[in-house]
């Protein structure tokens, strides 16, 4: 039986991290966890409970309520992706909406939110055999991951991808607004005090601006097999 490893995929927003991480997990028969979905879910909870308005967060109340926020994933046989649930309620579509994207960065910058989610993420990876994507997976969540990938692509390419994704879902969105959101989140993600987005020293960089999903898929599976068979 082949040894199981931990795979950390970090990088900027809308780089296609989730797609690549999900496909890789499927090929290897590993668990896939989208850690961004967890930050989005806490954000949705804050929005639905009036704990954030105009970017101002009621941190005291949110911190007190962290124990009441239960995030789970259930594999969807139709979309072939895990769906996110908040306290047992399906929230997968809601957490992808622009309103959540616009509010998520300040929530993800809170130390107590990160601490709670990192603990949950580490528990999910206890048995290895996991692919997790996010911003701090190779640096904070699994610093000992056997394979770390840092994904990047130009802001325009990423904004176009998110625009296509939301348009395909039937949402009416504005490209420039998305581009601004991508740039703003890059800035906040890289400059926040708590676990800023940065490349782990031992991560392999993948710039996917100019390569196809299929090329990327093959490159990634080869890298993973190389490490697993080492
Ligand atoms: O990958 P995404 O766009 O769905 O992530 C949503 C937000 O959550 C993004 O602004 C960065 C934050 N995030 C984080 O701080 N740490 C992670 N491990 C994953 C996401």
């Amino acid at each position: 039986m082949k040894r199981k490893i931990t795979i950390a995929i970090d990088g900027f927003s809308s780089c296609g991290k989730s797609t690549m991480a999900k496909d890789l997990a499927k090929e290897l028969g590993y668990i896939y966890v989208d850690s961004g979905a967890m930050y989005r879910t806490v954000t949705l909870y804050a929005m639905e409970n009036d704990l954030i308005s105009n970017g101002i967060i009621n941190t005291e109340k949110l911190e007190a309520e962290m124990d009441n926020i239960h995030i789970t994933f259930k594999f969807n046989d139709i979309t072939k992706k895990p769906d996110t649930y908040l306290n047992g309620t399906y929230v997968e579509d809601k957490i992808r909406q622009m309103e959540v994207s616009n509010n998520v960065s300040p929530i993800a910058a809170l130390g107590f939110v990160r601490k709670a989610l990192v603990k949950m993420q580490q528990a999910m990876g206890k048995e290895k055999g996991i692919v997790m994507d996010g911003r701090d997976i190779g640096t904070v969540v699994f610093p000992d991951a056997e394979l770390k990938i840092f994904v990047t692509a130009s802001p325009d390419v990423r904004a176009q991808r998110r625009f296509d994704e939301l348009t395909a879902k039937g949402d009416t969105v504005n490209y420039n607004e998305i581009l601004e959101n991508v740039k703003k989140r890059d800035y906040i993600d890289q400059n926040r005090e708590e676990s800023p987005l940065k490349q782990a020293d031992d991560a392999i960089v993948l710039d996917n601006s100019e390569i196809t999903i299929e090329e990327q898929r093959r490159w990634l599976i080869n890298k993973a097999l190389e490490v697993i068979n080492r």
Side-chain angles (χ1 to χ4, degrees):
M1 170 101 170
K2 279 188 188 157
R3 73 181 183 123
K4 283 190 169 180
I5 64 165
T6 302
I7 302 176
I9 301 189
D10 288 303
F12 292 98
S13 66
S14 307
C15 270
K17 288 191 303 293
S18 308
T19 308
M20 64 193 274
K22 175 180 61 81
D23 289 349
L24 181 64
K26 193 172 157 212
E27 295 208 43
L28 297 171
Y30 280 20
I31 295 168
Y32 160 61
V33 177
D34 171 0
S35 69
M38 299 169 75
Y39 289 93
R40 286 172 178 273
T41 304
V42 174
T43 305
L44 180 70
Y45 182 93
M47 288 163 60
E48 289 186 337
N49 290 278
D50 296 324
L51 302 179
I52 182 167
S53 93
N54 296 324
I56 313 285
I57 306 162
N58 184 339
T59 46
E60 214 168 290
K61 195 128 189 269
L62 181 60
E63 185 167 11
E65 292 195 21
M66 281 311 287
D67 285 344
N68 302 330
I69 304 179
H70 298 287
I71 304 167
T72 46
F73 296 102
K74 213 188 286 171
F75 193 78
N76 182 323
D77 278 325
I78 297 165
T79 61
K80 305 285 176 210
K81 286 190 211 171
D83 286 335
T84 313
Y85 287 75
L86 166 59
N87 294 333
T89 301
Y90 173 91
V91 291
E92 185 58 36
D93 294 332
K94 276 191 183 170
I95 62 166
R96 307 291 164 191
Q97 286 170 355
M98 275 302 280
E99 220 188 327
V100 172
S101 300
N102 287 335
N103 281 304
V104 66
S105 282
I107 296 277
L110 296 170
F112 65 84
V113 170
R114 303 205 71 84
K115 204 168 152 215
L117 296 190
V118 166
K119 202 170 150 201
M120 282 176 62
Q121 291 153 5
Q122 288 172 335
M124 291 171 181
K126 227 172 46 223
E127 312 284 332
K128 294 190 179 258
I130 189 167
V131 182
M132 192 176 289
D133 75 330
R135 304 292 188 288
D136 60 340
I137 311 305
T139 50
V140 176
V141 181
F142 301 128
D144 297 328
E146 290 85 349
L147 179 60
K148 299 179 185 177
I149 308 285
F150 191 84
V151 199
T152 163
S154 71
D156 302 273
V157 166
R158 289 185 281 133
Q160 188 63 49
R161 286 179 187 158
R162 186 141 286 196
F163 177 85
D164 292 344
E165 195 184 312
L166 292 168
T167 308
K169 273 193 210 157
D171 288 1
T172 309
V173 284
N174 176 293
Y175 172 81
N176 286 326
E177 198 185 315
I178 294 179
L179 181 62
E180 276 321 300
N181 177 266
V182 163
K183 288 184 181 167
K184 196 167 133 204
R185 280 202 293 155
D186 282 0
Y187 183 83
I188 301 179
D189 289 350
Q190 287 175 291
N191 291 284
R192 67 177 176 222
E193 225 160 90
E194 293 282 342
S195 310
L197 169 66
K198 69 172 186 340
Q199 191 191 321
D201 292 337
D202 50 351
I204 304 170
V205 179
L206 167 65
D207 183 332
N208 68 11
S209 305
E210 308 284 341
I211 61 171
T212 64
I213 290 182
E214 182 51 27
E215 284 167 333
Q216 171 170 285
R217 193 187 65 76
R218 261 183 281 130
W219 179 86
L220 196 59
I221 186 80
N222 286 336
K223 277 274 168 273
L225 292 176
E226 212 177 283
V227 176
I228 291 168
N229 295 323
R230 206 175 269 163

